[in-house]
Amino acid sequence: MYTVGLDADTRAYFTAATMIIAVPTGIKIFSWLATSYGGTFAFNTPMIYALGFIFLFTIGGLINLLALPLKTTICEKLLTIMIFWYFFILKIKNHYFEQFAGNLLIFCNDKVGTPETSSSPRVVVYTTISEDIVRVIKYLFIYLFIYNLDIANFRSYSNLVIAKQDKNNNLNPVKIYDSLKKDRVQILIDQKDKSGVYCLVNKINGHKYVGSSINLSSRMKNYINNTYLKNKNNSNMPIVKALLKYDQFNFSVWILEYVEPESLSIRETFYITYLIPYYNILKQGYSSLGYKHTEETKKLLSKLAKNRIHSEKTKVLIVRALVGENNPFYNKNHSTETKIRIIEAKSAYSVYIYNSSKKLLTIFPSVGTLARLIKSNHKTLVNVIKEKILFRGEWYLSNIPFNIEDSPSISSWYSKEGKKLVSKINNQSHIKKAIFVYDVNKNFIGKYEGVTDAQRTFNISHNTIKKYALGGGTYNGYIFSYERMEK
């Protein structure tokens, strides 16, 4: 319109027509934008192309509105927009009629076109700005294309995550515990002597571990025991590393199914292939429970075992290599710390020592260690732990803490304070069951080393004291108990 030299009336007509057409076009553009704003975006190729078209259309209209009032010769309409894909790169070619027809110099620097179409410094400035805008649009299209590829990858990943969530939702665990450490007491009680398949879930990152056991209570007890986890035989397992890193408090426990021992490996394999847990090394359950070797295999194993006899010459060489100065540990002793680590590595679980007021005193690495120090035997201490009774009239022994927030008053069992505690326990080795005596208001009267000692003090028969200590109740204004009572 500006480059061919139309008269003023014709230009006024086309200008008015353009302004009138802009009204429904503007309504249409804003309708598209409102629809996009109120809907849900799916960043696929057609949607990105539509957004790009709206953007270009809007920019083109705004440029024309700026150009018309100035009555310049800028005809910043994109007369041709060629959009095509060449090796997945979007290219846009823009043709400016004003630059081509109005600024072309022929021969003696004579400009082609009417005087109205000759460029002025202001026109050149607007032309440069327009070129920059179109260049930005072009690079925006390239960015949107690359972004579309990323969105496609993100969508596939999102679908995978959703699929995993659907699998989790389809599970119907028999029992769910929010925290392995927090709910440990209830877990050990509920799962005692039960066999089945379980799942440990990391609440921080969602990673899982699927396992099975013929005794779920025993297995969970091992997971709670840090000494067991730090044992060199177990420390390389991914689930063990995760438990030590994130703490058992941040793992929830799912009891997926109670299963008979002979079917454990089958059901464990099913859940492993279904959930694809992150912490499982083996992708199928395995258990040698109930497996019997064939007779041929038994004969082969027997033959191999019989041939494992060193010759006399070999035995002499082995002895020479390990005796005296040849022994790598010759004239060396383990440090105290090393000995402690060895004890902790060999122990099945730690022993928590509480006084009669149920205040945590210290923690011993194993039952065997405590038994040797206090001159008792392993069986007796295990029975005290199971029965939850006072040991030698003053101390409770437990394989798990009474309260997760308990902190031992004696930091180390081999310290001076720990040795004093051991000496005190040894000095009361003659006490089997102490008697705690209270009045009717549960005010503490005294502690006696045994029923006989209380009998002499209160002149009450031996059987009567035992009866009321076991069954409860008051007798002659006294309350007898084998444990310290809370007021």
Side-chain angles (χ1 to χ4, degrees):
M1 183 167 67
Y2 291 108
T3 59
V4 298
L6 292 177
D7 60 279
D9 294 334
T10 306
R11 281 182 293 168
Y13 167 76
F14 281 110
T15 299
T18 302
M19 296 298 291
I20 293 171
I21 293 172
V23 175
T25 303
I27 295 173
K28 176 175 60 179
I29 292 295
F30 282 109
S31 297
W32 291 344
L33 293 175
T35 302
S36 301
Y37 178 79
T40 302
F41 275 91
F43 285 99
N44 47 29
T45 303
M47 174 58 75
I48 293 176
Y49 181 87
L51 293 175
F53 171 77
I54 294 174
F55 180 79
L56 283 175
F57 204 99
T58 305
I59 293 297
L62 293 175
I63 291 175
N64 282 326
L65 290 175
L66 292 174
L68 285 173
L70 296 174
K71 295 183 179 180
T72 63
T73 59
I74 303 176
C75 184
E76 286 298 328
K77 283 191 175 182
L78 301 176
L79 300 179
T80 306
I81 300 178
M82 299 178 65
I83 304 174
F84 59 93
W85 298 99
Y86 179 71
F87 292 107
F88 301 100
I89 297 177
L90 188 65
K91 297 182 178 181
I92 303 175
K93 291 186 177 180
N94 308 285
H95 298 269
Y96 300 96
F97 258 83
E98 187 276 331
Q99 277 191 326
F100 182 80
N103 293 335
L104 186 61
L105 297 179
I106 301 178
F107 297 106
C108 300
N109 294 330
D110 293 329
K111 292 187 177 181
V112 178
T114 63
E116 194 174 2
T117 64
S118 60
S119 298
S120 64
R122 183 172 57 182
V123 173
V124 174
V125 172
Y126 283 112
T127 303
T128 304
I129 296 173
S130 302
E131 287 177 349
D132 292 338
I133 293 175
V134 173
R135 190 177 295 110
V136 170
I137 295 171
K138 179 176 70 174
Y139 290 131
L140 179 63
F141 267 115
I142 296 173
Y143 170 77
L144 289 176
F145 171 71
I146 298 173
Y147 182 73
N148 183 38
L149 295 179
D150 292 338
I151 287 296
N153 294 333
F154 175 75
R155 189 182 298 112
S156 62
Y157 174 76
S158 299
N159 292 336
L160 180 61
V161 172
I162 292 172
K164 288 184 177 181
Q165 290 177 349
D166 291 340
K167 286 185 177 181
N168 292 341
N169 294 334
N170 291 333
L171 284 176
N172 292 313
V174 178
K175 194 78 174 179
I176 297 178
Y177 301 94
D178 182 64
S179 173
L180 175 59
K181 180 178 284 187
K182 181 180 178 181
D183 302 327
R184 64 192 180 282
V185 177
Q186 192 62 39
I187 293 174
L188 298 181
I189 294 174
D190 294 344
Q191 308 308 323
K192 185 177 181 181
D193 299 329
K194 292 183 180 179
S195 64
V197 182
Y198 62 90
C199 178
L200 299 180
V201 183
N202 190 328
K203 295 191 291 184
I204 296 177
N205 54 29
H207 292 163
K208 299 180 181 64
Y209 174 79
V210 173
S212 62
S213 176
I214 59 174
N215 192 331
L216 292 172
S217 177
S218 177
R219 180 64 56 85
M220 296 303 132
K221 188 183 295 183
N222 290 337
Y223 286 143
I224 297 169
N225 186 5
N226 285 341
T227 303
Y228 172 84
L229 298 179
K230 293 177 181 178
N231 189 305
K232 64 180 180 179
N233 297 327
N234 308 315
S235 59
N236 288 329
M237 296 174 62
I239 182 60
V240 171
K241 292 180 178 179
L243 287 169
L244 292 174
K245 179 179 180 180
Y246 296 102
D247 193 78
Q248 294 92 329
F249 186 84
N250 293 315
F251 278 81
S252 59
V253 182
W254 297 358
I255 306 300
L256 299 177
E257 185 179 352
Y258 292 121
V259 187
E260 293 299 324
E262 57 270 13
S263 303
L264 278 177
S265 60
I266 298 174
R267 298 305 297 167
E268 182 184 358
T269 302
F270 167 77
Y271 285 107
I272 290 175
T273 54
Y274 183 74
L275 293 174
I276 314 178
Y278 179 82
Y279 293 125
N280 282 75
I281 300 176
L282 300 176
K283 299 308 176 186
Q284 63 178 8
Y286 175 76
S287 174
S288 60
L289 184 66
Y291 177 78
K292 294 182 179 180
H293 292 293
T294 61
E295 294 299 326
E296 183 179 357
T297 304
K298 289 180 180 179
K299 291 179 181 179
L300 179 61
L301 294 173
S302 176
K303 185 177 179 180
L304 292 173
K306 290 177 181 178
N307 291 333
R308 293 175 185 170
I309 299 175
H310 294 298
S311 64
E312 294 299 325
K313 183 178 179 180
T314 303
K315 290 180 180 180
V316 172
L317 292 174
I318 293 174
V319 171
R320 288 179 180 177
L322 299 178
V323 173
E325 295 181 355
N326 294 325
N327 193 309
F329 206 68
Y330 181 72
N331 280 341
K332 294 181 180 179
N333 293 313
H334 289 299
S335 64
T336 304
E337 294 181 356
T338 303
K339 291 178 180 179
I340 293 170
R341 286 199 296 267
I342 293 173
I343 293 172
E344 291 177 348
K346 292 181 178 181
S347 65
Y349 53 83
S350 302
V351 181
Y352 296 80
I353 308 295
Y354 288 81
N355 61 15
S356 58
S357 301
K358 294 187 177 180
K359 179 183 177 182
L360 181 59
L361 301 178
T362 189
I363 304 172
F364 281 83
S366 66
V367 175
T369 303
L370 178 61
R372 286 191 296 271
L373 291 174
I374 63 175
K375 300 176 183 179
S376 182
N377 60 72
H378 189 279
K379 185 178 180 180
T380 300
L381 298 186
V382 171
N383 184 62
V384 171
I385 293 173
K386 288 183 178 180
E387 298 296 330
K388 297 180 179 179
I389 57 177
L390 276 178
F391 178 69
R392 294 181 181 175
E394 179 57 28
W395 297 278
Y396 288 100
L397 309 182
S398 176
N399 58 339
I400 57 174
F402 291 161
N403 192 328
I404 192 63
E405 298 178 353
D406 287 343
S407 179
S409 58
I410 302 174
S411 59
S412 178
W413 61 272
Y414 53 87
S415 63
K416 291 183 179 180
E417 293 79 7
K419 292 178 180 179
K420 289 181 181 179
L421 175 62
V422 170
S423 177
K424 189 175 181 180
I425 296 174
N426 285 326
N427 291 335
Q428 296 193 23
S429 59
H430 60 284
I431 301 176
K432 292 184 177 180
K433 285 187 177 182
I435 293 293
F436 296 84
V437 183
Y438 298 82
D439 62 17
V440 292
N441 295 320
K442 293 186 178 181
N443 294 315
F444 181 69
I445 296 176
K447 173 186 171 184
Y448 301 90
E449 294 183 351
V451 177
T452 304
D453 194 13
Q455 177 185 358
R456 296 194 190 100
T457 303
F458 297 97
N459 197 23
I460 301 175
S461 68
H462 189 280
N463 292 334
T464 302
I465 295 176
K466 287 183 64 175
K467 176 182 175 181
Y468 282 93
L470 291 172
T474 60
Y475 182 80
N476 288 346
Y478 298 106
I479 298 175
F480 301 96
S481 175
Y482 286 122
E483 296 181 346
R484 191 179 294 274
M485 300 174 63
E486 295 180 3
K487 188 174 179 179

